Amino acid sequence: MSETQALESMIGEEYKYGFSTDVEYEDFPTGLNEDIIRELSARKEEPEWMLEFRLKAFRAWQEMEEPDWFNATYEKPDFENIQYYSAPKNKPKLDSLDDVDPKIKETYDKLGIPLEEQKQLAGVAVDAVFDSVSVFTSFKEKLAEAGVIFCSISEAIQNHPELVKKYMGSVVPARDNFYAALNSAVFSDGSFCYVPKDTVCPMELSTYFRINNMNSGQFERTLIIAEDNSHVSYLEGCTAPMYDEHQLHAAVVELVAMDDAEIKYSTIQNWYSGDEEGKGGIYNFVTKRGACRGKNSKISWTQLETGSAVTLKYPSVILQGDNSIGEFYSVAVTNKKQQADTGTKMIHIGKNTKSTIISKGISAGRSNNSYRGEVKINKGADGARNYSVCDSMLIGQECGAHTFPYIESKNPTASVEHEASTSRVGEEQIFYLMQRGISEQDAISMIINGFVKEVLKELPLEFATEANALLDVKLEGSVG
Amino acid sequence: MLEIKNLHASVEGEDEQILKGVNLTINKGEIHAIMGPNGSGKSTLAKVVSGHPEYEVTEGEILFEGEDVTELDADERAHLGMFLAFQYPIEVPGITNRTLLRESYNTIARENDREELDPLEFDDYLKERLEVIDMKDEFLERSINTGFSGGEKKKNEVFQMAVLNPKLAFMDETDSGLDIDALKIVSDGINKIAGPENAIVLITHYQRLLNYITPDYVHVMMNGKIVKSAGKELALELEDQGYEQLEKEFSVNGEAQ
Ligand SMILES: Nc1ncnc2c1ncn2[C@@H]1O[C@H](COP(=O)(O)OP(=O)(O)OP(=O)(O)O)[C@@H](O)[C@H]1O
Ligand SMILES: [Mg+2]
């Protein structure tokens, strides 16, 4: 087997999360109209203002065009054919692990998700979103002691309406874009986190999203608020079973950081990516944005994106507060016929704001991997600084890597620095390492790890091993 | 130590032979030089001996310490003690020299039931080996060959050899691209490494190198074969006369043997 073939077989390791779980679902009609939205809101027993929010977003969405400016081609989702609400029948209102439907729990066990004690010892609080509904949140009590609210967004709507009302849509307005509008109209569940003033969240927060039901879309909504001088680190993980049909995942994540607050948001995305021929797989169309509202605040996005058939995602930071910091660390891996168009936007408004972008794209198979980044420096952003690096690595001859950096500076005191490189994992590199006694598999692993380590070291420690394991599955597997 | 018999090789999947029947025997303690015009197959020979997957051996065999290694992968040959200093050392960004060498050293040690070195022991060992070719320790923390100057890359190959201590090293034009001082330092280093238990094959275009390192044998390669072998005086002869005379003799353009 030649090195290229070996590489391709390694990177093409079978998707091991592709099982589906037999759970009974509540019936809910497919299709999208105002009645559906009313029905959805009613099932969730939402207050009137929430329904109004949804309907307004829906009306806006109806007037919008599906975007097509990105570097990806795919069959557009059929919005009439999606089930906008999908809840396991035996779920609601759980206080402990024992109350979770055993089948769902089994699923999470198979995924190796840290619901169980070992991880609780590690101090990780988990919220698990199965299809559309949040199944449970562990560790609620310990968090409550610290004053941190961590619950599903549905619960927050019921129990903390003033916070949700104040912040939801304040960073990503319903009209922001086509998919954000759709999400605002039909979002099903998601996570909510509020960290009060002068509080360091006592543990890593984490949410696992899983789409199980074949026709359901997942539209989760996440909102994290860090008050003055607080600190929180949040991680989301995503998997889905293998189906021939594409499934839509259109999430909205909003982060708000006040004075001296810091939010670290990490993603390990491993949705099913479709087969060799591009059949099936998730459409991952996500709007993620953080607002550094306060001075000296900091928002940092770290993502390891390995799954999905099509990914369109640009986690961004609006740097309003003086001296605020935005960071984006990304590893995006595409293989087979996957397409990813991902990157970030850093919008500098406050003085002496600073942003760092480190993007690493790995493309293999016949995939297409694009980085798209925008750095915008407004007039008043004296002394703003940006540093961007985007590196691409190609494995094999049939994949593509592209970079689209946009820089717009309206302030002469600002400095923007952009570096980019493209390299190919060559047979020569592998031969070189093998000549030094290193096995083919270790050689590939070393090259890939060397390429991404700058980003992976940004992941919370507790999850670093999970990230490495995932990369190993995606990039190594068996050498034959 | 190394016995190459009637070796024929081509690029995998191609008909055209690059090596057309190479015979070469190397005993331990010996230094050999291989010279020959551009494109005659010197680098290909070194790569085929090292197990480069791009080439296919179509006839003949390679024996290393009596064992047929023709079908072994490159890493397995390295474990046996074979080393190649590349004519064009490869850049591998993201992996430091130190990481590579520790991984290599310990893998080879493990395969040979020798003791592995822990990071501190290994650091001491590296420091000592740096002295062999007078290399600065800042190179340890740099990514393999990445951004190195041409000469630095060549020196780095010799440094790696000094660390891994192979039984047999092919050094492919290690002298090309070195400045006068570096050539002297690198030659001194190679002389220090050379000993009764190992063997070195120098591929070179220049007699100059052989002023510093005295070969036991000089071979001339042409059109995929070794056409002449003699003692070190052959290098001087070639320096004087070029390859023209030999070329006529061996009719490299035609099929005549
Ligand atoms: N991978 C390859 N694909 C095609 N041709 C090759 C390949 N490798 C070697 N060759 C050809 O084989 C011949 C021998 O090449 P080789 O690099 O071994 O020459 P050399 O003797 O080392 O030359 P130089 O002195 O210039 O380094 C050349 O004609 C070269 O073009
Ligand atoms: Mg050569």
Side-chain angles (χ1 to χ4, degrees), chain A residues 360 391 393 421 423 425 429 433 442-455 457, chain B residues 90-101 139-148:
Chain A
K360 305 274 178 175
D391 296 330
M393 184 173 268
S421 77
S423 56
V425 179
Q429 284 180 328
L433 298 179
D442 287 347
I444 293 168
S445 193
M446 275 171 87
I447 292 169
I448 301 283
N449 285 327
F451 183 65
V452 302
K453 70 179 170 204
E454 208 181 338
V455 170
K457 76 173 179 358
Chain B
I90 311 295
E91 300 195 357
V92 193
I95 306 172
T96 63
N97 255 332
R98 179 193 292 277
T99 305
L100 166 69
L101 284 171
F139 280 98
L140 295 175
E141 314 313 328
R142 285 181 58 179
S143 288
I144 306 164
N145 297 325
T146 309
F148 286 26

Side-chain angles (χ1 to χ4, degrees), chain A residues 1-3 393 423 427-429 431-440 442-443 446-447 449-451 453, chain B residues 51-54 74-75 78-79 82-84 86 90-95 100 104 107-108 144-145 157 160:
Chain A
M1 181 187 276
S2 79
E3 255 89 11
M393 184 173 268
S423 56
E427 306 210 339
E428 291 302 325
Q429 284 180 328
F431 174 64
Y432 189 80
L433 298 179
M434 286 178 77
Q435 206 301 307
R436 301 308 189 235
I438 291 163
S439 73
E440 186 171 29
D442 287 347
M446 275 171 87
I447 292 169
N449 285 327
F451 183 65
K453 70 179 170 204
Chain B
H52 197 298
E54 199 170 359
D75 55 330
H79 301 159
M82 299 169 80
F83 182 89
L84 170 62
F86 286 62
I90 311 295
E91 300 195 357
V92 193
I95 306 172
L100 166 69
S104 297
T107 306
I108 294 169
I144 306 164
N145 297 325
E157 294 293 288
Q160 293 184 28

Side-chain angles (χ1 to χ4, degrees), chain A residues 10 129 134-135 140 346 366 414 434 474:
Chain A
M10 282 181 169
V129 177
S134 181
V135 185
K140 232 177 244 176
M346 295 289 176
R366 286 175 288 163
M434 286 178 77
K474 187 83 183 180

Side-chain angles (χ1 to χ4, degrees), chain A residues 428, chain B residues 10-12 14 16-19 34-47 52 54-55 87-88 172-173 203-205 221 224:
Chain A
E428 291 302 325
Chain B
S10 60
V11 172
E12 176 96 40
E14 307 266 323
E16 203 189 326
Q17 306 265 314
I18 301 175
L19 301 183
I34 299 180
M35 306 183 81
N38 295 130
S40 57
K42 303 179 298 295
S43 294
T44 303
L45 175 64
K47 287 193 262 185
H52 197 298
E54 199 170 359
Y55 303 96
Q87 179 173 4
Y88 304 108
D172 194 354
E173 295 197 25
I203 294 172
T204 181
H205 286 296
M221 195 155 176

Side-chain angles (χ1 to χ4, degrees), chain A residues 219-262:
Chain A
F219 303 92
E220 85 264 357
R221 184 99 196 179
T222 297
L223 177 58
I224 299 176
I225 302 141
E227 291 283 12
D228 290 354
N229 197 30
S230 70
H231 181 287
V232 61
S233 168
Y234 177 95
L235 180 131
E236 59 174 0
C238 326
T239 63
M242 303 199 265
Y243 290 123
D244 285 349
E245 305 282 315
H246 293 290
Q247 290 169 285
L248 177 61
H249 171 256
V252 170
V253 176
E254 296 175 279
L255 313 180
V256 180
M258 308 309 280
D259 287 355
D260 302 295
E262 181 175 343

Side-chain angles (χ1 to χ4, degrees), chain A residues 333-353:
Chain A
V333 184
T334 55
N335 189 22
K336 297 179 184 167
K337 293 193 91 173
Q338 279 178 274
Q339 306 176 76
D341 190 309
T342 181
T344 184
K345 246 192 237 177
M346 295 289 176
I347 301 167
H348 293 255
I349 298 170
K351 294 190 181 27
N352 300 316
T353 45

Side-chain angles (χ1 to χ4, degrees), chain B:
Chain B
M1 176 173 279
L2 181 75
E3 224 179 317
I4 299 172
K5 294 185 191 164
N6 191 30
L7 187 66
H8 289 69
S10 60
V11 172
E12 176 96 40
E14 307 266 323
D15 290 336
E16 203 189 326
Q17 306 265 314
I18 301 175
L19 301 183
K20 302 172 183 174
V22 176
N23 289 292
L24 180 64
T25 300
I26 293 165
N27 297 306
K28 63 182 188 179
E30 293 176 351
I31 295 178
H32 291 238
I34 299 180
M35 306 183 81
N38 295 130
S40 57
K42 303 179 298 295
S43 294
T44 303
L45 175 64
K47 287 193 262 185
V48 170
V49 168
S50 309
H52 197 298
E54 199 170 359
Y55 303 96
E56 189 180 5
V57 172
T58 50
E59 210 185 317
E61 57 184 4
I62 305 163
L63 302 177
F64 185 71
E65 297 191 309
E67 182 187 346
D68 186 349
V69 298
T70 319
E71 294 299 319
L72 293 188
D73 285 340
D75 55 330
E76 296 170 306
R77 300 187 203 200
H79 301 159
L80 295 176
M82 299 169 80
F83 182 89
L84 170 62
F86 286 62
Q87 179 173 4
Y88 304 108
I90 311 295
E91 300 195 357
V92 193
I95 306 172
T96 63
N97 255 332
R98 179 193 292 277
T99 305
L100 166 69
L101 284 171
R102 195 155 82 86
E103 199 63 30
S104 297
Y105 182 93
N106 281 337
T107 306
I108 294 169
R110 196 159 53 237
E111 292 295 328
N112 289 283
D113 294 319
R114 285 197 308 261
E115 218 177 310
E116 298 180 38
L117 297 181
D118 68 33
L120 292 180
E121 291 168 334
F122 191 69
D123 187 56
D124 290 341
Y125 176 64
L126 281 183
K127 295 258 158 67
E128 173 205 315
R129 300 314 278 169
L130 278 170
E131 281 167 24
V132 175
I133 61 152
D134 194 21
M135 209 155 102
K136 290 204 203 79
D137 60 3
E138 65 195 46
F139 280 98
L140 295 175
E141 314 313 328
R142 285 181 58 179
S143 288
I144 306 164
N145 297 325
T146 309
F148 286 26
S149 75
E152 285 166 350
K153 285 182 182 171
K154 295 299 180 71
K155 261 180 106 168
N156 198 30
E157 294 293 288
V158 182
F159 172 58
Q160 293 184 28
M161 172 177 156
V163 171
L164 299 179
N165 235 333
K167 291 180 186 157
L168 172 71
F170 270 76
M171 312 196 71
D172 194 354
E173 295 197 25
T174 303
D175 54 331
S176 306
L178 292 177
D179 67 43
I180 304 162
D181 294 339
L183 179 63
K184 174 115 188 23
I185 293 166
V186 164
S187 307
D188 283 350
I190 294 172
N191 281 328
K192 273 183 231 164
I193 297 167
E197 292 305 314
N198 57 27
I200 291 172
V201 182
L202 302 167
I203 294 172
T204 181
H205 286 296
Y206 307 107
Q207 138 69 22
R208 186 186 63 193
L209 172 71
L210 307 179
N211 290 338
Y212 294 109
I213 307 172
T214 315
D216 300 292
Y217 300 92
V218 175
H219 310 276
V220 179
M221 195 155 176
M222 271 186 190
N223 194 25
K225 286 173 90 165
I226 288 178
V227 296
K228 191 166 185 180
S229 301
K232 64 170 194 261
E233 66 288 349
L234 178 56
L236 289 167
E237 237 170 76
L238 291 170
E239 179 94 339
D240 214 32
Q241 298 167 5
Y243 295 113
E244 206 179 334
Q245 188 53 37
L246 280 171
E247 252 161 36
K248 275 190 205 130
E249 220 172 297
F250 292 92
S251 170
V252 275
N253 301 319
E255 282 310 303
Q257 298 293 304

